[in-house]
Structures are given as structure tokens and as C-alpha cells.
């Protein structure tokens, strides 16, 4: 890594850690080389706190949002975690350091293939990349202890809530195609508890139970 990039990296984590929260999430994030998950031409910006374009018109989220979402998932070492929207594979790499097993699903085949190859080459052995099927998520591998959706849904998808274990957490942006609320849903014995974590902006989640 160039000295300049190394400095930007230190600046970013210093500023993210200044909040004094999200320790476990930030510790995992600090171990993942974000510069390897962005296109070559964006590498100099990889440690700015901004979203960056990846292939196929998609984006890798801003580090602040990645930290917030990762923290909200409350991942424990024995957990099986599901991600919707593999994209570059960056969020999956972070989760793989915190969980027992990560399943990540991507709609665009070329992104699924390149993320899978990158994750394998970097040694993230407990991540399985799946090409999205007709149903949202991965019902055949449910239930999950945590589910993170890194694309925006028009409403809370019931089909995904049902893929949570009791005690499981779902973090998902919900709203219009231009602006959303980041929602957290916890599955309880008798139902679901929902809370909002703030506003955000994601590319749309496409398919059944999402945007057509
Ligand atoms: N988490 C990624 C960024 C994801 S961008 C990262 O760390 O880089 C959102 C991704 O969601 C896009 O790649 C898009 O193709 C994918 N996507 C959209 N709808 C989807 C669906 N129904 N299932 C799985 N992936 C979907």
C-alpha cells in the first residue's frame, strides 16, 4: 500500500473510532483491504468515507454505513449470516471475520463470479457466494442469525423476515428508490420488533418481494 493510501486509511479509522462505538465492527473492517474491492481507478479514494462505483452500475457503500450496519447486526462468532447484494464482496469479507459462516447472494452473475474469486484468493474461506434465485434470500439455508441487505427494498420483505432464527437480526434499507430508512428487525418468539437506525441511500433491491 502506498504511504498516501496508508495515511488515508489511518485517518478514516481514526475518525470512525472517534464515535467511541462499533468497536467489534471497526476491528473487523480494519482487517479488510478495501482498496482490493474497488476498481483500479478508484483505489486512491478507497479510504475516503464515500461510496464508490463498482462494476454493473452498482456501488460499494460508504465505510460509515458499513460500520453502522455491521454493528447493528450484532454478529457473534457462532453465527450463520446471510447477505443480499454481494457486489464487490467487501461487506461479506468483513462479516466472515466475525461469523462462523457467511452466505452472500448476488443478482448479477458477473459480480457474483468476480467477488467469489476475489474472496477465495484473499483467503476468506467461510464465505459462500450464490447467484440469486427466484426467491429473495436463500430460503433453503434458513434460518439465519443475521441478515443484511445492502440494496434498498420498497417495504420490509416478509419472505426475508421468515428466514430469521428466533433472536435473529435483519438490517435493511426500506423506502423509495431515492431515499430510505435503515431498518432493524429482530425476530422474537411471538413476532418481530422493528426500529429505525437513520436515513440512507442504496441502489434498488430487484426481484420478487422487492422492486420489479
Ligand atoms: N455489499 C456490496 C455492495 C452491494 S451494491 C459490497 O460490499 O460491495 C447492491 C448489490 O445488490 C448489487 O450488486 C445488486 O446487483 C445486488 N442486488 C440487487 N437486487 C438483488 C437481489 N434481489 N438479490 C441479491 N442481490 C441483489
Amino acid at each position: 500500500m502506498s504511504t498516501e493510501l496508508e495515511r488515508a486509511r489511518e485517518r478514516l479509522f481514526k475518525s470512525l473510532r472517534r464515535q467511541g462505538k462499533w468497536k467489534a465492527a471497526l476491528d473487523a473492517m480494519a482487517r479488510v483491504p478495501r482498496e482490493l474491492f474497488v476498481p483500479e481507478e478508484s483505489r486512491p479514494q478507497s479510504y475516503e468515507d464515500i461510496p464508490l462505483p463498482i462494476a454493473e452500475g452498482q456501488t460499494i457503500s460508504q465505510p460509515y454505513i458499513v460500520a453502522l450496519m455491521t454493528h447493528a447486526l450484532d454478529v457473534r462468532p457462532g453465527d450463520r449470516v446471510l447477505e443480499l447484494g454481494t457486489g464487490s464482496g467487501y461487506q461479506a469479507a468483513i462479516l466472515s471475520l466475525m461469523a462462523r459462516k457467511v452466505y452472500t447472494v448476488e443478482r448479477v452473475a458477473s459480480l457474483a463470479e468476480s467477488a467469489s474469486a476475489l474472496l477465495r484468493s484473499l483467503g476468506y474461506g467461510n464465505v459462500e457466494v450464490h447467484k440469486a434465485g427466484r426467491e429473495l434470500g436463500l430460503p433453503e439455508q434458513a434460518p439465519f442469525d443475521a441478515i443484511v441487505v445492502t440494496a434498498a427494498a420498497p417495504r420490509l420483505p416478509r419472505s426475508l423476515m421468515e428466514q430469521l432464527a428466533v433472536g435473529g437480526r435483519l438490517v435493511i434499507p426500506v423506502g423509495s428508490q431515492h431515499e430510505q430508512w435503515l431498518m432493524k428487525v429482530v425476530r422474537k418468539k411471538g413476532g418481530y420488533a422493528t426500529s429505525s437506525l437513520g436515513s440512507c441511500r442504496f441502489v434498488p433491491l430487484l426481484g420478487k418481494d422487492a422492486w420489479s
Side-chain angles (χ1 to χ4, degrees), residues 152-197:
R155 69 199 82 83
L156 280 176
R158 194 77 200 177
S159 51
L160 268 189
M161 292 160 66
E162 285 166 359
Q163 291 174 47
L164 283 175
V166 172
R169 293 79 59 197
L170 164 66
V171 174
I172 179 172
V174 177
S176 73
Q177 294 208 4
H178 304 289
E179 198 186 8
Q180 306 96 31
W181 287 99
L182 194 56
M183 303 300 295
K184 178 171 177 176
V185 179
V186 181
R187 185 165 196 173
K188 309 273 184 190
K189 272 210 183 92
Y192 299 90
T194 304
S195 56
S196 164
L197 306 172

Side-chain angles (χ1 to χ4, degrees), residues 18-180:
R18 202 167 290 145
Q19 322 242 5
K21 44 187 186 180
W22 308 337
K23 178 154 190 329
L26 289 171
D27 287 349
M29 273 175 78
R31 290 167 60 199
V32 177
R34 190 170 187 255
E35 73 277 14
L36 302 185
F37 291 84
V38 305
E40 190 93 48
E41 63 274 18
S42 296
R43 255 177 216 174
Q45 281 94 55
S46 32
Y47 292 103
E48 303 300 320
D49 198 6
I50 51 173
L52 291 169
I54 54 174
E56 308 288 345
Q58 306 300 327
T59 51
I60 173 170
S61 302
Q62 168 188 4
Y64 175 91
I65 292 286
V66 174
L68 173 66
M69 292 176 93
T70 305
H71 173 77
L73 282 174
D74 198 10
V75 179
R76 294 152 218 180
D79 282 357
R80 294 170 71 250
V81 178
L82 171 68
E83 178 192 29
L84 269 71
T86 311
S88 68
Y90 178 64
Q91 174 75 76
I94 294 162
L95 293 170
S96 84
L97 298 175
M98 307 174 78
R100 175 157 61 93
K101 175 94 190 191
V102 176
Y103 300 84
T104 178
V105 182
E106 172 54 56
R107 207 183 136 264
V108 179
S110 63
L111 287 175
E113 282 153 23
S114 49
S116 174
L118 180 61
L119 289 163
R120 204 172 331 113
S121 76
L122 294 175
Y124 298 102
N126 58 341
V127 183
E128 250 178 50
V129 183
H130 291 253
K131 169 86 175 62
R134 225 185 77 76
E135 302 296 325
L136 215 47
L138 212 54
E140 65 273 25
Q141 292 288 351
F144 298 97
D145 303 296
I147 303 178
V148 62
V149 183
T150 58
R155 69 199 82 83
L156 280 176
R158 194 77 200 177
S159 51
L160 268 189
M161 292 160 66
E162 285 166 359
Q163 291 174 47
L164 283 175
V166 172
R169 293 79 59 197
L170 164 66
V171 174
I172 179 172
V174 177
S176 73
Q177 294 208 4
H178 304 289
E179 198 186 8
Q180 306 96 31

